[in-house]
Amino acid sequence: TEYATPGAWAEFMKEMDVLDEAVKKGGKRRPVFIFSNHVSFMDTLLIVVYFPAKVLWRVRCYMGSFLYGLPLFGTICKVLGHFPVYFLKNEEGKFTTDAAKMAPVEEEVSRHLEAGGVLTLFPEGAMNRADPSKLMTFRYGTFKRALAEDAIIYHFVTCGHEDVWPAASGFSGNPATTGMGLYPVTGPEGTKKYFAELKAKAPKSVETGSSEDFVILAEHARATMQKQYDSLAANTAALSGKNGPKSKRD
């Protein structure tokens, strides 16, 4: 595995210590969001390996409620306290949620963040089964919350996991060179300051022409993560002696 940002976790944990100390002094905690690309079932497993223990115990994520019905895996996720997402329809590419069922879930998420928890999300909303080298459209809801909460945002980017465990395969174990990196995005000042500077330069979305704040932020995040992925994939390919990353499993 190519570790593109070896000192990033140390900086992340220092930042968490600063946030904890601020709360002890009576201040309000700024929540932390980690966004990641999603190309394989391997992603979730290796997050457990890659994230330092001091960080991992704070982390919770959203996951489709249908996954809770899986033997063993679903029980583990319930016990760990991850947050179910109730979709109106369990169909590929359909992300409309059941507002009534999601209301108490979002209250749990708020309590988690207020208690110093970290929220980890796959902003594409689903596993990228088409071309892992090209990020899919980011879902906007998460970015509405990031702005409302003035969250600190990081990107956790990986490549090569689809070669180890292809999305269409029921098991993993293929040999491959993989890469990972943790990238600070907003800095400790949070999303609102970061976005104000972003919107001053680009008042409308480049992709859609929208002037909605959360749309601009989501599309900028996707473009930023794509650049991070491309750099990581190129470095990983050089490490393995390949000409470039595999985007599809043959």
Side-chain angles (χ1 to χ4, degrees):
T1 298
E2 166 72 3
Y3 292 90
T5 54
W9 281 119
E11 293 300 317
F12 180 95
M13 288 187 283
K14 285 181 183 178
E15 197 160 283
M16 294 299 292
D17 289 341
V18 170
L19 293 172
D20 291 341
E21 191 62 31
V23 171
K24 290 178 182 178
K25 294 179 179 179
K28 185 179 179 181
R29 178 183 298 279
R30 182 170 281 133
V32 178
F33 290 7
I34 302 176
F35 297 144
S36 182
N37 58 318
H38 192 22
V39 299
S40 167
F41 293 109
M42 200 77 178
D43 298 333
T44 306
L45 297 176
L46 290 184
I47 279 176
V48 177
V49 176
Y50 290 151
F51 280 31
K54 187 176 179 180
V55 177
L56 187 62
W57 75 270
R58 294 176 181 252
V59 170
R60 301 291 183 275
C61 68
Y62 286 106
M63 55 185 292
S65 61
F66 62 92
L67 295 171
Y68 283 69
L70 296 177
L72 186 59
F73 179 78
T75 301
I76 291 173
C77 291
K78 287 179 183 178
V79 171
L80 290 176
H82 293 304
F83 305 114
V85 178
Y86 296 99
F87 295 109
L88 286 178
K89 293 182 179 181
N90 186 19
E91 296 179 10
E92 189 79 20
K94 302 292 184 182
F95 299 104
T96 304
T97 58
D98 186 320
K101 289 185 177 179
M102 288 305 300
V105 174
E106 296 299 352
E107 291 177 2
E108 290 182 25
V109 174
S110 294
R111 287 193 291 270
H112 169 67
L113 295 173
E114 290 169 3
V118 176
L119 192 60
T120 301
L121 308 104
F122 296 125
E124 294 166 287
M127 190 183 298
N128 185 345
R129 299 172 182 271
D131 184 353
S133 69
K134 302 298 179 186
L135 297 175
M136 298 190 297
T137 301
F138 281 8
R139 315 319 305 169
Y140 296 145
T142 298
F143 294 90
K144 286 183 181 180
R145 183 158 200 152
L147 280 166
E149 301 269 8
D150 197 16
I152 298 169
I153 296 176
Y154 282 80
H155 287 170
F156 181 71
V157 186
T158 66
C159 69
H161 289 177
E162 70 279 7
D163 292 329
V164 179
W165 190 344
S169 177
F171 61 94
S172 66
N174 299 317
T177 301
T178 63
M180 57 81 67
L182 179 72
Y183 304 87
V185 178
T186 63
E189 296 84 6
T191 301
K192 290 182 179 178
K193 182 177 184 296
Y194 175 83
F195 179 73
E197 295 172 354
L198 171 64
K199 194 168 185 179
K201 298 175 184 177
K204 289 188 177 183
S205 161
V206 175
E207 292 187 28
T208 64
S210 173
S211 58
E212 291 275 12
D213 290 355
F214 59 88
V215 175
I216 296 171
L217 181 60
E219 293 179 359
H220 176 74
R222 177 177 175 272
T224 299
M225 189 182 289
Q226 184 67 61
K227 291 178 181 178
Q228 292 162 343
Y229 174 91
D230 291 343
S231 176
L232 176 65
N235 291 338
T236 303
L239 181 69
S240 66
K242 297 179 183 178
N243 293 324
K246 292 182 180 180
S247 60
K248 295 182 180 179
R249 186 75 184 175
D250 297 329

